Amino acid sequence: MIFSKIPMMLAAASLTFVVACDETGPNQNQNTQQGAIIGALGGAAIGAIANRDESNRERNQAALIGAALGAGAGAAIGNNLDRQAEELRRSLRNDVGVSNNGRNLVVVLSQDLLFATNSTAVSSVSQRELRIVASSLNKYPNTTVNVIGHTDNVGTAEFNQDLSQRRAQAVSAVLLGGGVSAARVRSIGAGENQPVASNLNAQGRAQNRRVEIIITPN
């Protein structure tokens, strides 16, 4: 019966959660724990499905093996995200945002910090910050990097789309110059289509003018 597999799967997930809960790591290994649980459940499901033609006992064993393998992979990914996020927060300026949602890291630089008005030349201050990001990407190479440019809604949509694309490419060029493989990096212009604040006031427009570097484990 299907239900006979569930206790074994939950037991495996619980075990990996306990193993992952080492409070000595960065952020108390928050994302290591999350990755282990997700990996355990996913691995257990794959193990059970792959052995669906076997006996209940054999399927349970396969589920446990899958859970252990999945937990190990998930914990490793979560641990790397935790560590990389903490290292970036310590190294980057306070006005560079670093967020970690357990699935990817998002580094946010204001376009007012990156560029002069209507320019795509990366400022010397921002080049230093981007070289720090490049060094981190080289230290944790098993990730994909999307560099996304955003603008406010001042000007035409066509102009903003083109400007955001060229600015994303300019940021990507600095990362590539820092040794990051071009195969890992994609430049995307989002124009004015993804605001994070109101465009009706100067403060909101400033928040919308940004470049996001999204780092996703492979």
Side-chain angles (χ1 to χ4, degrees):
M1 294 178 62
I2 293 175
F3 289 105
S4 67
K5 299 192 290 260
I6 294 176
M8 301 296 286
M9 293 165 64
L10 293 178
S14 299
L15 176 61
T16 54
F17 177 83
V18 173
V19 171
C21 291
D22 174 11
E23 295 187 356
T24 61
N27 285 340
Q28 288 73 52
N29 281 338
Q30 174 183 358
N31 292 303
T32 304
Q33 297 167 17
Q34 180 179 344
I37 295 170
I38 293 172
L41 293 175
I46 291 171
I49 291 171
N51 292 271
R52 62 184 178 275
D53 294 330
E54 305 296 334
S55 67
N56 285 341
R57 180 173 179 274
E58 290 169 329
R59 286 200 299 271
N60 284 339
Q61 290 176 339
L64 280 175
I65 293 171
L69 294 174
I77 290 172
N79 184 56
N80 282 346
L81 286 177
D82 285 333
R83 292 185 182 281
Q84 189 175 16
E86 288 301 309
E87 291 169 6
L88 285 170
R89 290 190 185 103
R90 288 196 300 267
S91 302
L92 294 170
R93 291 165 52 111
N94 291 334
D95 53 359
V96 177
V98 179
S99 60
N100 179 3
N101 60 21
R103 297 180 303 276
N104 50 48
L105 301 183
V106 182
V107 179
V108 182
L109 295 95
S110 164
Q111 287 195 354
D112 292 344
L113 172 67
L114 285 164
F115 307 103
T117 302
N118 292 333
S119 172
T120 58
V122 179
S123 70
S124 58
V125 171
S126 293
Q127 286 190 35
R128 174 190 173 277
E129 302 306 301
L130 291 173
R131 284 194 292 269
I132 292 172
V133 175
S135 178
S136 175
L137 293 173
N138 291 330
K139 182 177 180 180
Y140 298 93
N142 193 29
T143 58
T144 298
V145 184
N146 285 330
V147 180
I148 307 176
H150 301 270
T151 70
D152 58 27
N153 68 348
V154 176
T156 68
E158 292 78 9
F159 174 84
N160 288 330
Q161 175 63 40
D162 178 68
L163 180 63
S164 68
Q165 179 68 42
R166 288 187 290 125
R167 285 180 165 177
Q169 291 170 341
V171 169
S172 295
V174 178
L175 298 179
L176 299 182
V180 181
S181 169
R184 298 173 59 193
V185 180
R186 183 172 64 157
S187 304
I188 302 169
E192 60 189 55
N193 296 320
Q194 298 176 19
V196 293
S198 172
N199 277 310
L200 298 178
N201 56 72
Q203 182 178 6
R205 289 192 294 271
Q207 293 180 56
N208 292 332
R209 297 189 299 267
R210 68 199 190 278
V211 171
E212 297 175 339
I213 302 171
I214 301 178
I215 304 166
T216 305
N218 295 333

